[in-house]
């Protein structure tokens, strides 16, 4: 039987990382780009380039825009959280009966927004610890090995195509606790990333602000418990400290976004946590103060604060 075509919506860092590895394994892949101008730019490049362990390889993966008519059975959404819903809406009419959509977005909130936009599709949430960045347009550097946890809101059975990820060398694990994974990653992110922006430091620099980190962790634990995610709260403080030490020399993704003048995913990280706390009548003054400070910081830099 012919393998199902992988449509990849967004050819940035993670989209390119997935597309090139799938194509390298001989699987059929189609990119969906933002508009005709981006399609022209892509065609001018002659394909997507993957740099891995010093080796560069270009793959001439076919591309199209959202208004193409080809039906979509399996879609990987690789946009930022703030673009995901609009991007999926643009291809919604092309989804086949029983379509599956993999959502790679960080944080929480965008996945539910997408699922509400396309209730006919099976949404699979992905929590990725892989790291990649664009060194130039349509060229990605695989910077950090990691694992992709996949699961759905219904705690359903694993799909039968996980073998394709194995063949493509995409490390993955199916989980029935994907929400717990996403909440835990969200909490780690909220404990570290905003403070690295506000104190203009690498992750390791937060050792000098241990009191602030610890106060945020205490509140995060309470909010996770109020939100019905007690398992995501277990040992949070210890893991935050471990991450700070293990990644001491790194700049957080939010720090890098701000430093490079890019929009952050604040609404789907700290914003989501603070709004969840309100919904569950959970007092979270430290998190709210940090959110306000971060919004002011972004505004002062002329960056979007949502
Ligand atoms: P990225 O490099 O900025 O890529 C996003 C891509 O989405 C861009 O290429 C953008 O197109 C495209 N896009 C936006 N709207 C679109 C639309 N309507 N139609 C088609 N394409 C559209 O972002 P990323 O780093 O891959 O991150 C994607 C998600 O993965 C984020 O939520 C991020 O937090 C998460 N994540 C990233 C990493 C990582 O290491 N990079 C790791 C874990 C999780 P243009 O190129 O035209 O702007």
């Amino acid at each position: 039987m012919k393998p199902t075509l992988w449509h990849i919506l967004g050819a940035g860092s993670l989209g390119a990382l997935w597309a090139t590895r799938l194509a390298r394994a001989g699987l059929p892949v189609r990119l969906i780009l933002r508009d005709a101008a981006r399609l022209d730019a892509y065609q001018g490049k002659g394909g997507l380039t993957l740099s891995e362990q010093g080796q560069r390889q270009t793959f001439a993966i076919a591309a199209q825009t959202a208004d193409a008519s080809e039906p979509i059975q399996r879609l990987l959404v690789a946009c930022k959280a703030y673009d995901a819903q609009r991007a999926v809406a643009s291809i919604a009419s092309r989804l086949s009966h029983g379509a599956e959509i993999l959502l790679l977005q960080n944080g929480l909130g965008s996945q539910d927004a997408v699922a509400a936009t396309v209730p006919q599709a099976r949404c699979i949430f992905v929590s990725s610890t892989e790291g990649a960045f664009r060194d130039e347009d349509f060229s990605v550097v695989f910077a950090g090995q990691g694992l992709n946890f996949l699961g759905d809101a219904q705690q359903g059975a694993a799909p039968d195509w996980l073998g394709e990820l194995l063949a493509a060398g995409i490390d993955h694990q199916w989980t029935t606790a994907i929400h717990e994974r996403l909440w835990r990653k969200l909490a780690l992110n909220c404990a570290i990333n905003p403070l690295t922006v506000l104190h203009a430091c690498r992750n390791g620099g937060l050792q000098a602000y241990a009191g602030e980190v610890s106060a945020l962790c205490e509140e995060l634990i309470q909010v996770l418990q109020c939100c019905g995610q007690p398992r995501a709260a277990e040992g949070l403080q210890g893991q935050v400290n471990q991450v700070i030490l293990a990644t001491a020399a790194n700049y957080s993704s939010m720090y890098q976004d701000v430093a490079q003048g890019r929009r952050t995913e604040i609404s789907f990280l700290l914003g989501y946590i603070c709004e969840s706390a309100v919904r569950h009548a959970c007092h979270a003054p430290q998190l709210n103060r940090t959110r306000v400070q971060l919004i002011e910081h972004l505004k002062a830099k002329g960056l979007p604060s949502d």
Side-chain angles (χ1 to χ4, degrees):
M1 208 172 67
K2 242 171 91 177
T4 300
L5 184 56
W6 283 84
H7 280 92
I8 310 238
L9 184 56
S13 309
L14 279 200
L17 184 63
W18 279 64
T20 51
R21 289 181 296 177
L22 291 166
R24 186 171 61 186
L27 293 161
V29 180
R30 195 84 81 238
L31 303 174
I32 304 176
L33 304 179
R34 194 188 278 277
D35 53 28
R38 295 297 284 149
L39 187 56
D40 277 354
Y42 173 71
Q43 271 150 2
K45 284 266 178 181
L48 267 186
T49 300
L50 171 67
S51 293
E52 192 181 6
Q53 293 171 340
Q55 305 268 24
R56 274 173 79 80
Q57 201 179 349
T58 299
F59 300 85
I61 298 168
Q64 57 188 214
T65 53
D67 55 12
S69 57
E70 187 175 64
I72 298 173
Q73 178 62 39
R74 188 181 303 146
L75 178 73
L76 178 78
V77 182
C79 308
K80 293 281 194 182
Y82 48 75
D83 281 327
Q85 187 182 16
R86 200 166 348 123
V88 170
S90 74
I91 55 81
S93 63
R94 295 173 53 188
L95 292 172
S96 306
H97 178 71
E100 291 173 304
I101 303 185
L102 284 80
L103 298 166
L104 279 177
Q105 288 61 47
N106 228 345
L108 278 167
S110 71
Q111 299 89 341
D112 288 343
V114 168
T117 305
V118 286
Q120 72 276 30
R122 179 187 190 192
C123 286
I124 293 174
F125 305 154
V126 186
S127 179
S128 178
T129 62
E130 292 189 315
F133 65 88
R134 286 193 262 189
D135 55 349
E136 51 186 77
D137 216 10
F138 301 115
S139 174
V140 63
V141 179
F142 190 5
Q145 301 280 337
L147 189 57
N148 296 283
F149 292 96
L150 293 90
D152 66 11
Q154 295 72 35
Q155 302 184 323
D160 57 10
W161 43 259
L162 290 183
E164 294 191 6
L165 301 188
L166 193 65
I170 299 175
D171 280 343
H172 65 279
Q173 191 178 307
W174 183 260
T175 173
T176 51
I178 191 67
H179 273 108
E180 188 184 311
R181 292 256 167 218
L182 289 166
W183 275 97
R184 177 59 163 226
K185 191 170 179 211
L186 174 69
L188 287 167
N189 196 302
C190 288
I192 296 174
N193 294 16
L195 291 183
T196 64
V197 173
L198 294 172
H199 294 301
C201 65
R202 295 175 199 260
N203 291 354
L206 293 184
Q207 290 169 92
Y209 304 97
E212 258 179 273
V213 174
S214 157
L216 278 183
C217 285
E218 272 173 37
E219 276 191 21
L220 283 163
I221 291 168
Q222 278 175 26
V223 175
L224 291 171
Q225 285 167 346
C226 288
C227 293
Q229 295 293 332
R231 298 212 31 202
E234 279 171 22
L236 180 68
Q237 176 88 61
Q239 198 184 355
V240 165
N241 292 335
Q242 254 171 27
V243 171
I244 287 173
L245 288 178
T247 62
N250 297 358
Y251 286 111
S252 73
S253 54
M254 191 180 269
Y255 177 99
Q256 292 178 46
D257 283 341
V258 174
Q260 291 167 28
R262 293 190 304 237
R263 182 174 175 184
T264 69
E265 295 182 301
I266 178 177
S267 296
F268 303 89
L269 300 167
L270 210 40
Y272 187 86
I273 281 277
C274 289
E275 279 156 27
S276 302
V278 171
R279 269 200 306 278
H280 290 86
C282 181
H283 194 49
Q286 196 76 22
L287 284 161
N288 279 305
R289 203 169 311 125
T290 307
R291 182 190 190 189
V292 169
Q293 286 171 349
L294 187 58
I295 287 173
E296 280 167 5
H297 185 90
L298 296 173
K299 282 186 179 158
K301 295 227 165 239
L303 292 173
S305 57
D306 60 347

